[in-house]
Amino acid sequence: MLALVGAAFIGSIMGVFARELATGLNVVEQVALRSLMGAVVLLCVCWRVIDLGKFRTAPRSDLRLTAARAVAMFVIAISLGTMAFVEGNYASAAVIMALPTPAVLSVVMFGERMSVRDGMFVTLAFVGAALTILAGTGAGAALGLTLDWPMLCALLATLFMSWGILARKWQSPHLTNYETTFLMLLVAGIVMALAAAAWCLWTARVPGLTIYLLGVGLAAGLANIGFLLGTNYAIPQLKGVVTNNLLALQPVFGIIVGVAVFAEVPTVAAVIGCVLILVSVLAIANPKLLSRRGAVADMAGR
């Protein structure tokens, strides 16, 4: 759970890197730089625990699944999500990307059973996330949730990202989390680098890469490492509803980052939204916290 909380925090600051990199790089170049930087750093730092020889003996199904997850999360989801935020209404896109897709996909992909109580707290987490996002970006301008092209991009982004995260459960334990993370970053980096090179050759465009943007790309690569390591470690051990509500902490961390970095003052509605998310997380993580009977029984057991 702590690993997924850390992943949610990392997810909340990704927009800062994307905004800085957009000053000189397009979406494809951004993702290529972040992925390649992450793969190189992870290999350099963790070369003793990453056994490259295991990739030759790994089950073909694991290799195909890892490559598919890399494409789903980086090539498709991150690219589409960036387009949605740039081309569409920021708040509307953020609300769509906060949909409880991990919980729903867990039922569809793995046949997990969701009780009425679980469904209530998943809904509570989404309401809290939506309230926090809308309050932070101007609710009046964000209520026009029409399914135009940017919103369709946001919807597809959250579906592919959720699938890529949850599909970790299908992978065998042959590859460690470090090896899986390295392979995902390498596959995403190669695919996006080839796409960026082809686009530059076709348009005769020269990427506006500077020393500063290389530094930002390095920081974003480190963030990608943390996010993948956290999700790859946590997902096989958690139910879909728990995963859903822990990832819903991203808007809460976003509010904290806004206060700490940009001196933004959260609105009352945003604070209420954060409280709703925290309540849903605590309830899903430990049902006894909201059950007086369970709490009494637990104390009696002690």
Side-chain angles (χ1 to χ4, degrees):
M1 289 181 63
L2 289 176
L4 212 56
V5 170
F9 171 74
I10 293 172
S12 70
I13 63 175
M14 283 297 190
V16 178
F17 300 130
R19 184 173 296 179
E20 290 299 311
L21 290 172
T23 59
L25 304 176
N26 60 31
V27 173
V28 178
E29 294 162 350
Q30 279 192 43
V31 179
L33 178 64
R34 291 163 50 178
S35 301
L36 290 175
M37 283 283 196
V40 171
V41 170
L42 183 61
L43 183 61
C44 292
V45 174
C46 302
W47 61 273
R48 295 195 178 196
V49 297
I50 296 178
D51 185 357
L52 298 178
K54 290 174 65 176
F55 294 128
R56 293 195 300 268
T57 60
R60 293 291 182 86
S61 58
D62 277 3
L63 296 178
R64 288 193 295 266
L65 177 61
T66 303
R69 293 180 60 215
V71 171
M73 295 175 66
F74 287 88
V75 177
I76 300 177
I78 292 180
S79 299
L80 288 176
T82 303
M83 290 172 59
F85 284 124
V86 172
E87 301 294 335
N89 182 285
Y90 186 95
S92 299
V95 170
I96 289 180
M97 296 184 74
L99 287 171
T101 48
V104 175
L105 287 181
S106 292
V107 175
V108 175
M109 294 168 60
F110 308 108
E112 292 187 5
R113 301 182 64 180
M114 185 186 301
S115 65
V116 175
R117 177 185 175 282
D118 289 343
M120 289 173 55
F121 287 116
V122 166
T123 304
L124 185 65
F126 169 66
V127 171
L131 187 60
T132 302
I133 294 167
L134 292 175
T137 53
L143 295 178
L145 297 175
T146 57
L147 193 60
D148 53 12
W149 170 246
M151 295 306 101
L152 181 59
C153 287
L155 180 59
L156 291 175
T158 189
L159 288 174
F160 278 99
M161 179 62 75
S162 298
W163 182 90
I165 291 173
L166 294 173
R168 174 68 174 88
K169 293 185 178 183
W170 284 329
Q171 187 177 319
S172 76
H174 181 84
L175 297 177
T176 65
N177 292 319
Y178 290 96
E179 291 158 353
T180 299
T181 298
F182 169 73
L183 184 57
M184 291 181 67
L185 289 171
L186 183 63
V187 169
I190 292 175
V191 171
M192 298 305 279
L194 291 175
W199 179 254
C200 289
L201 290 174
W202 180 263
T203 60
R205 178 182 181 274
V206 178
L209 192 60
T210 63
I211 297 297
Y212 172 73
L213 291 183
L214 279 174
V216 176
L218 176 60
L222 292 174
N224 284 342
I225 293 173
F227 183 84
L228 283 178
L229 283 177
T231 53
N232 283 331
Y233 171 76
I235 292 303
Q237 307 180 58
L238 297 175
K239 289 181 59 179
V241 291
V242 179
T243 298
N244 183 93
N245 285 18
L246 289 175
L247 290 178
L249 287 169
Q250 290 190 39
V252 178
F253 288 125
I255 293 292
I256 297 174
V257 171
V259 173
V261 178
F262 303 108
E264 296 177 349
V265 179
T267 64
V268 174
V271 174
I272 293 174
C274 291
V275 171
L276 293 180
I277 296 173
L278 293 174
V279 168
S280 69
V281 169
L282 291 175
I284 288 292
N286 185 0
K288 293 180 181 180
L289 289 177
L290 291 187
S291 171
R292 183 178 179 183
R293 181 180 300 177
V296 171
D298 184 53
M299 292 176 64
R302 292 178 183 176

